[in-house]
């Protein structure tokens, strides 16, 4: 506790906390997307609870990873090799997490393709609150492995890293609600989010074999695609409104009195 208070009393400590918090938020974008899509399968009254409790448990797992620095270093030690490529526990975690994301994403894409507006019974009721809460911290371990290793390399001071993780997760809890509401009102973006998770999952598997794409490229690609889709949705709404207005005008003309024409 004394070390923690000492860190908070120095400008360098706060600079480290702010920089690591920003790092955690940037690297946690894919995590927020996954949590939002996963919780959207629950009834609306349970979604906020699932996100809050799940991310609360994720804080515990991240802090455990941060305090287990020596254990993390052993994760990268080779266990066996496949076609000349050394495979470690870290790689196995990435493969398992990547395959899990790919399966979940394909299922979400299939469901959304069958019911793009989310008006059918497949929208909710197929998952339980407990399963969603359990999946959030488990997949957070996969998402946070690289960010935790990066945080250790950047700071190495446990109080700074723990404080940054707690602040970042609190921000994620607050942001997940508006993001979920935004995706609910823009179903095409929810489809794009599922495609993004499919891309992230395949990239995690690629990372395990040393052929992954830097995350920055993925984020930029999906950001560009999201902006294009927003303009497309807006254009489609404008066209639909124009057609509706034109149809109403035609109806008014057809029912107008002969003398008014």
């Amino acid at each position: 506790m004394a070390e923690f208070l000492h860190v908070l009393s120095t400008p360098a400590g706060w600079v480290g906390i702010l920089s690591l918090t920003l790092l955690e938020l940037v690297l946690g974008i894919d995590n927020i997307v996954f949590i939002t899509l996963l919780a959207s399968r629950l009834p609306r009254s349970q979604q906020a609870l699932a996100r809050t409790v799940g991310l609360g448990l994720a804080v515990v797992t991240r802090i455990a990873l941060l305090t287990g620095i020596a254990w993390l270093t052993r994760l990268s030690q080779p266990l066996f090799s496949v076609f000349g490529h050394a495979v470690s526990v870290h790689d196995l975690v990435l493969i398992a997490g990547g395959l899990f994301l790919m399966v979940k994403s394909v299922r979400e894409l299939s469901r959304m393709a069958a019911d793009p507006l989310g008006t059918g019974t497949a929208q909710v009721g197929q998952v339980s609150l407990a399963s969603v809460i359990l999946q959030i911290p488990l997949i957070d371990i996969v998402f946070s492995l690289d960010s935790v290793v990066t945080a250790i390399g950047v700071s190495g001071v446990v109080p700074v890293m723990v404080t940054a993780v707690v602040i970042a997760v609190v921000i994620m809890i607050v942001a997940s609600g508006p993001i979920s509401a935004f995706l609910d009102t823009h179903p095409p973006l929810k489809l794009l989010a599922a495609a993004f998770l499919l891309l992230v999952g395949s990239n995690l598997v690629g990372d395990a074999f040393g052929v992954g794409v830097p995350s920055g490229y993925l984020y930029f690609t999906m950001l560009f695609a999201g902006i294009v889709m927003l303009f497309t949705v807006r254009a489609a709404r404008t066209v639909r409104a124009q057609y509706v207005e034109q149809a109403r005008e035609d109806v008014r003309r057809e029912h107008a009195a002969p003398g008014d024409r």
Side-chain angles (χ1 to χ4, degrees):
M1 180 60 70
E3 182 184 2
F4 179 78
L5 294 176
H6 174 71
V7 169
L8 294 182
S9 65
T10 60
W14 280 106
V15 170
I17 290 172
L18 292 177
S19 60
L20 284 180
T21 300
L22 181 61
L23 174 66
E24 290 287 335
L25 290 175
V26 172
L27 295 177
I29 293 175
D30 42 14
N31 199 0
I32 296 178
V33 173
F34 173 78
I35 291 171
T36 301
L37 287 179
L38 187 62
S40 67
R41 302 294 304 279
L42 291 170
R44 193 173 299 273
S45 59
Q46 296 180 350
Q47 293 179 11
L49 176 62
R51 294 193 299 265
T52 303
V53 176
L55 284 172
L57 293 175
V59 171
V60 178
T61 59
R62 289 199 183 196
I63 292 177
L65 289 175
L66 287 171
T67 55
I69 298 176
W71 178 73
L72 280 177
T73 58
R74 291 197 295 269
L75 290 181
S76 299
Q77 296 178 356
L79 295 176
F80 55 89
S81 61
V82 178
F83 300 111
H85 177 76
V87 178
S88 63
V89 175
H90 178 269
D91 296 329
L92 294 177
V93 172
L94 290 181
I95 293 173
L99 292 176
F100 173 78
L101 277 180
M102 292 171 68
V103 171
K104 294 287 290 186
S105 301
V106 170
R107 287 181 176 178
E108 286 295 314
L109 288 171
S110 300
R111 183 181 61 84
M112 292 177 189
D115 185 20
L117 297 180
T119 57
T121 57
Q123 180 70 12
V124 294
Q126 292 187 355
V127 294
S128 65
L129 177 63
S131 66
V132 171
I133 292 176
L134 181 61
Q135 289 180 64
I136 291 175
L138 288 179
I139 200 63
D140 183 76
I141 294 176
V142 180
F143 282 137
S144 63
L145 270 180
D146 290 335
S147 64
V148 167
V149 172
T150 303
I152 293 173
V154 171
S155 175
V157 181
V158 174
V160 171
M161 295 185 295
V162 170
T163 305
V165 166
V166 173
I167 295 175
V169 172
V170 170
I171 295 176
M172 289 170 63
I173 291 175
V174 174
S176 62
I179 292 175
S180 177
F182 182 76
L183 291 180
D184 286 339
T185 56
H186 297 81
L189 288 181
K190 188 177 291 187
L191 188 69
L192 181 64
F196 171 63
L197 288 180
L198 178 60
L199 189 61
V200 170
S202 60
N203 193 56
L204 287 175
V205 177
D207 276 339
F209 294 98
V211 292
V213 178
S215 298
Y217 293 128
L218 297 182
Y219 296 154
F220 176 79
T221 301
M222 297 309 297
L223 176 62
F224 179 77
I227 293 174
V228 171
M229 182 167 285
L230 278 176
F231 279 105
T232 303
V233 170
R234 183 176 180 181
R237 288 180 176 177
T238 302
V239 171
R240 184 169 60 249
Q242 290 175 349
Y243 274 117
V244 171
E245 184 61 29
Q246 183 63 41
R248 289 176 178 174
E249 183 65 24
D250 293 340
V251 171
R252 283 195 296 265
R253 289 178 180 178
E254 290 178 0
H255 290 82
D260 296 335
R261 295 182 181 178

